[in-house]
Amino acid sequence: MYAEERQQAMAQLISRRGRLSVVQLAEEFEVTTETVRRDLSTLDRMGVVRRVHGGAVPAGSLKVIESGIVERDQSNTQAKEAIANAAVALLPPPDSVVVIDAGSTTARFAAALPRDHRLTVITHAVPVATRLAGLPQIQLHLLPGRVRPTTHAAVGAETVAALADLRADVAFVATNGLTVGHGLTTPDSDEAASKRAIIACARRTVVLADSTKLGVENAVRFATLDSVDVLVTDRGIDPQDRRALEQAGIEVVVA
C-alpha cells in the first residue's frame, strides 16, 4: 500500500471509530508507530484529522478529557527519562532560581537534578516537591492553592497571585499539546492559568515534551511559541515539525 492510500484509509477509519491510538493504527496497517506518527502529522496538516496525545481524532475534535497523573507517568517512560536528563544541561548557574511546572516529565527532571548544584526551586507540583524536599542543595518553595486530583498541582487565584510576585531565571514547563499554529495547550483552564503565570515570571522558558505531544491541540492555550526559548523532546519528532519550530525561533534539543 502506498503512503497516500494508507493515509486515506487511516482517515476513513478514524472518522468511523472516532478515536484511534498510534499503536492501534500501527497494528491495523502493519507499519511502525513512527510511520503512523508521520502519517498523522501529514493528515493533521491537511485538516483531515486532529492529532491528540497518543493518537488521533476526526477533524474538528478537540481533546477535553485529561489523562490522570498515574496514566501519564506510565506512558513513554523511556523518552521522558531521556528528556529529563537532557534538560539538566539547561540549568542556570548555581544559586539561581528555577520554577518547575507540574507534569510526569518535569517530575523526572526534578529527580535528575545534580546533588552538587545549589538552586532555589519554586513549584506548584506536589510530586516535584516530594522528590526535592530535604535535599541539601535545594531551597524549596511550594506554592499555595487548590491541589487538583488529576495533576496533583496547585491551581487557582492564590497560585497565580504568588507567581506574580516572583522572578525566576528559568521555567521548566510541561504541556499537553504543542502546535506551530496555536502554541501550547492544556485541557483545564485553571491549569492553563498557573502555567501562564509560571512562564510570565521567568526570564527563560524551557518546555519538556515528548514527541507525542507535538501536533496536539487541547481546549485552552496558555502560551504562544514566542514565549518559548527551548523545546526538549525525543527522537520521535517529525522532521517537518522540527523545522517549523526552529523557524519560529525555538531551539530544539533532541534527547
Side-chain angles (χ1 to χ4, degrees), residues 83-189:
I83 290 166
N85 291 326
V88 170
L90 301 172
L91 283 170
D95 298 312
S96 298
V97 179
V98 301
V99 185
I100 302 181
D101 185 21
S104 55
T105 308
T106 47
R108 284 176 165 81
F109 166 70
L113 292 179
R115 297 302 176 98
D116 59 350
H117 198 99
R118 290 191 307 173
L119 290 169
T120 295
V121 176
I122 300 163
T123 188
H124 68 140
V126 175
V128 170
T130 300
R131 284 166 168 81
L132 298 180
L135 295 182
Q137 83 279 18
I138 301 296
Q139 185 177 11
L140 179 64
H141 295 263
L142 183 58
L143 294 166
R146 171 181 62 86
V147 176
R148 294 186 68 225
T150 307
T151 59
H152 295 182
V155 298
E158 282 184 286
T159 312
V160 172
L163 284 161
D165 292 332
L166 299 174
R167 191 65 170 150
D169 296 293
V170 184
F172 292 91
V173 179
T175 185
N176 297 76
L178 189 160
T179 64
V180 174
H182 198 60
L184 284 69
T185 56
T186 189
D188 183 78
S189 58

Side-chain angles (χ1 to χ4, degrees), residues 208-231:
L208 280 59
D210 67 76
S211 58
T212 66
K213 310 288 179 62
L214 306 183
V216 175
E217 286 184 4
N218 294 269
V220 188
R221 179 169 64 184
F222 63 87
T224 53
L225 291 188
D226 58 6
S227 302
V228 178
D229 297 288
V230 184
L231 167 68

